Amino acid sequence: MRTISIFGVTGSIGCTAANILAGQSNKFTITVITGGNNVTELAKQAIRLSPRYVVIANETHLNELRNLLIGYNFEISGGRQALINAASIPVDISLQGIVGFPGVECSLTAAKFSKTLALANKESLVCAGPLLQNICTINNTKLVPVDSEHSAIFQCMLGESIETVEKIILTGSGGPFLNTSIEDLKSVTPKQAASHPRWSMGQRISIDSASMFNKAMEIIETKELFNVSVDKLEVVIQPQSIIHSMVGFNDGSIKAQLGPADMSGAIGYAINYPNRDPLTVERLNFLELRQLDFLPVDHLKFPAINLSIRAIMIGGMAGAVFNAAKEQALDLFLIGNIGFLDMARCVEFALNEYELNPIQHNFIFEDIMELDTHMRIRVIEMAKGL
Ligand code: NAD
Ligand code: MG
C-alpha cells in the first residue's frame, strides 16, 4: 500500500483523482484530503475515501465540516497553517490540485515530505520553478507533471536525453473562441469564456484556456520542467485535443502522446508512476476519429503566448509577475471591471514594470509572495484607467 495526500480534492482535478483512487483502494491509503470552501463536497469525499486528516483551507467553514463528519474518526482542521501542516506529513505521493497561487506554498512544502509530487498546480512551476526543482533535488523527490501536455512530454522523454531534443510542440485545443473575431472577443462574458469545447475543468483554467493564458502558462511550465531554451518551444492548435503534445528529436523523429481528452489519463499516470496501471478511460478509435487537424496560433487575437515568451526572456521572477497579473486580471474580468482582451493588457503592463524595476531577489518563497502581492495591487491601480 502506498500513502497519498490529495490537495484540492473538491476541484476538477481532485474529484477525478478521487474517482481513480476509489477504484484502486487496494493500492493506496489516503493520508490527507483538503478543500478550499466546498465543505459538502469535502465531507462527501472524506466519507468515501476514509483519509486520516481532513483540512478545509477556509477556516470559517471548520465548524460546519466538523458537524457534517460527526461520528467519523478523522482528524479535522482548518485554515492556511493547517493546510501547510498537512503538506508536511510524509507520504509516498502528494497530488497537488489546488488552483492558483495558494497552491504554490503547498507544493513547495509537499515537495520536502513526499517521495513523488504529482503536480497539477502549474502556478508552482511558473512562480517558483527553480525553487521547487531545487527542493525536489535536495529531498530526492520525483516531480511528475499532471498537466496533460507536460505528462505527454514527460512520457515522450522516457529513455531520451534532453540534449537530443530539437523542439517541444505543445498542443492546444484553441478553446471556445478559436473562430471568434477579435472584434467580438472584446465583449465576451465570463460564462461564454468558461465553456470549454473539449475539456471539463475548473472555471479559472477554463477561462485561461479561452484567452490562451493557460497555454502561455504551460510554455513557462515546460521551460521550468524540462530546462529547454525558448527557441525550442512551439505551440500548435490541435482542435480535437487527441494529441496531448509532441517532442521532436535531432534525427527528425517526432514522438507524440495521444489519448482521449480526459484528465484521468495524466492523473492515473502520475500517481502510479513509474508503473502503468489499468484505467477505465475511453479508448481511441482511429477509424471513428478519421482525422486530426492542426492550425497555427493567431497571436493578434491571443497575445498571451508572446507575453509568456517575453517573461522567460526577462528572467528572474518574471514568471511570478506574469502569474500575479494574470490572476488579478482574471478576477477583474470575472467581476465585470475589465473586458476579455484587457487581461493581456494587464499582464503586459506588469511585465513592463518588472523589466524597468527588476526587484532584487533570492528566489525564496517570501520574496515571491511579496512580489505577487505588489503586482496584484499595481494591476488593480492600472485597470482603473482601462
Ligand atoms: P478547481 O477550481 O476545479 O479546483 C481547485 C481546488 O483548489 C478546489 O479543491 C478548491 O477548493 C481548492 N482551492 C481553491 N482556492 C484555495 C485556497 N485559497 N486554499 C486552498 N485550496 C484552495 O481547479 P482545477 O481545474 O481542478 O485546477 C486545479 C489546478 O490544476 C490548477 O492549477 C490548474 O491549472 C491545474 N490543471 C487543471 C486541469 C483540469 O483539467 N482541471 C488540467 C491541467 C492542469
Ligand atoms: Mg494543460
Side-chain angles (χ1 to χ4, degrees):
M1 290 284 249
R2 278 168 295 159
T3 50
I4 183 166
S5 292
I6 312 170
F7 298 91
V9 76
T10 57
S12 166
I13 289 286
C15 286
T16 308
N19 289 342
I20 297 173
L21 290 168
Q24 298 194 350
S25 55
N26 55 335
K27 292 186 197 127
F28 294 97
T29 304
I30 322 283
T31 304
V32 173
I33 62 169
T34 80
N37 283 300
N38 189 342
V39 241
T40 319
E41 181 65 29
L42 183 59
K44 200 179 102 192
Q45 295 291 7
I47 293 164
R48 181 183 186 206
L49 297 169
S50 296
R52 231 180 115 198
Y53 303 90
V54 185
V55 182
I56 184 93
N58 184 342
E59 207 169 357
T60 56
H61 299 304
L62 182 57
N63 278 342
E64 195 184 343
L65 181 65
R66 285 196 201 283
N67 286 337
L68 288 170
L69 295 176
I70 283 172
Y72 292 93
N73 219 2
F74 310 123
E75 289 194 35
I76 301 168
S77 57
R80 182 77 198 161
Q81 192 52 49
L83 177 70
I84 300 305
N85 292 347
S88 314
I89 298 168
V91 279
D92 291 316
I93 302 139
S94 278
L95 175 68
Q96 178 49 267
I98 292 176
V99 64
F101 190 73
V104 177
E105 190 184 10
C106 193
S107 300
L108 294 171
T109 309
K112 292 183 193 154
F113 298 98
S114 319
K115 289 183 189 147
T116 298
L117 177 61
L119 187 67
N121 179 273
K122 61 191 80 189
E123 295 83 359
S124 300
L125 280 161
V126 172
C127 300
L131 181 56
L132 181 65
Q133 293 279 22
N134 195 25
I135 292 174
C136 287
T137 307
I138 292 169
N139 294 282
N140 203 15
T141 302
K142 186 72 196 166
L143 181 55
V144 185
V146 168
D147 214 346
S148 60
E149 295 76 5
H150 306 79
S151 175
I153 299 163
F154 187 94
Q155 293 180 55
C156 291
M157 284 304 296
L158 289 180
E160 308 288 353
S161 139
I162 197 73
E163 285 74 44
T164 64
V165 171
E166 222 163 59
K167 58 184 172 180
I168 293 184
I169 306 159
L170 286 162
T171 52
S173 68
F177 303 138
L178 184 58
N179 300 312
T180 308
S181 72
I182 193 159
E183 208 39 53
D184 289 345
L185 278 185
K186 285 182 190 157
S187 55
V188 296
T189 63
K191 190 163 178 256
Q192 288 169 314
S195 46
H196 199 278
R198 299 278 168 209
W199 297 91
S200 156
M201 308 182 286
Q203 183 199 40
R204 297 186 74 89
I205 183 177
S206 296
I207 299 179
D208 281 352
S209 298
S211 60
M212 296 210 75
F213 265 111
N214 181 49
K215 208 50 56 189
M217 294 278 285
E218 290 178 353
I219 290 183
I220 305 177
E221 189 185 3
T222 309
K223 190 241 157 210
E224 296 296 346
L225 256 179
F226 301 100
N227 197 19
V228 280
S229 55
V230 73
D231 56 301
K232 291 188 175 174
L233 298 175
E234 269 180 45
V235 178
V236 166
I237 304 298
Q238 205 287 291
Q240 292 91 354
S241 297
I242 296 294
I243 300 183
H244 298 319
S245 277
M246 302 182 258
V247 181
F249 296 93
N250 60 7
D251 58 356
S253 182
I254 295 178
K255 281 185 176 179
Q257 189 264 336
L258 286 70
D262 179 345
M263 285 307 292
S264 307
I267 296 169
Y269 182 81
I271 64 176
N272 286 300
Y273 178 83
N275 302 321
R276 272 190 197 275
D277 274 31
L279 287 174
T280 51
V281 294
E282 173 202 335
R283 268 46 177 170
L284 289 184
N285 180 330
F286 285 100
L287 297 181
E288 271 173 22
L289 196 62
R290 293 180 76 94
Q291 118 180 29
L292 291 173
D293 297 312
F294 301 94
L295 299 164
V297 176
D298 181 340
H299 291 285
L300 270 180
K301 261 166 64 177
F302 302 111
I305 290 183
N306 283 338
L307 287 171
S308 72
I309 290 169
R310 202 171 140 220
I312 294 176
M313 305 298 266
I314 295 171
M317 295 204 296
V321 171
F322 184 93
N323 182 66
K326 184 221 65 152
E327 287 194 12
Q328 188 57 63
L330 176 54
D331 286 342
L332 293 171
F333 173 64
L334 284 170
I335 58 172
N337 278 17
I338 62 171
F340 184 77
L341 293 176
D342 292 331
M343 290 192 283
R345 294 202 181 101
C346 292
V347 175
E348 187 177 14
F349 161 82
L351 289 177
N352 287 346
E353 273 224 342
Y354 181 71
E355 199 170 29
L356 282 173
N357 309 296
I359 299 152
Q360 286 301 314
H361 59 84
N362 301 311
F363 239 118
I364 55 170
F365 179 68
E366 287 67 23
D367 285 358
I368 298 170
M369 202 165 61
E370 201 181 307
L371 185 58
D372 178 89
T373 309
H374 169 72
M375 278 304 165
R376 283 172 199 258
I377 294 167
R378 292 294 297 136
V379 166
I380 292 170
E381 286 167 358
M382 174 269 184
K384 284 182 188 151
L386 283 174

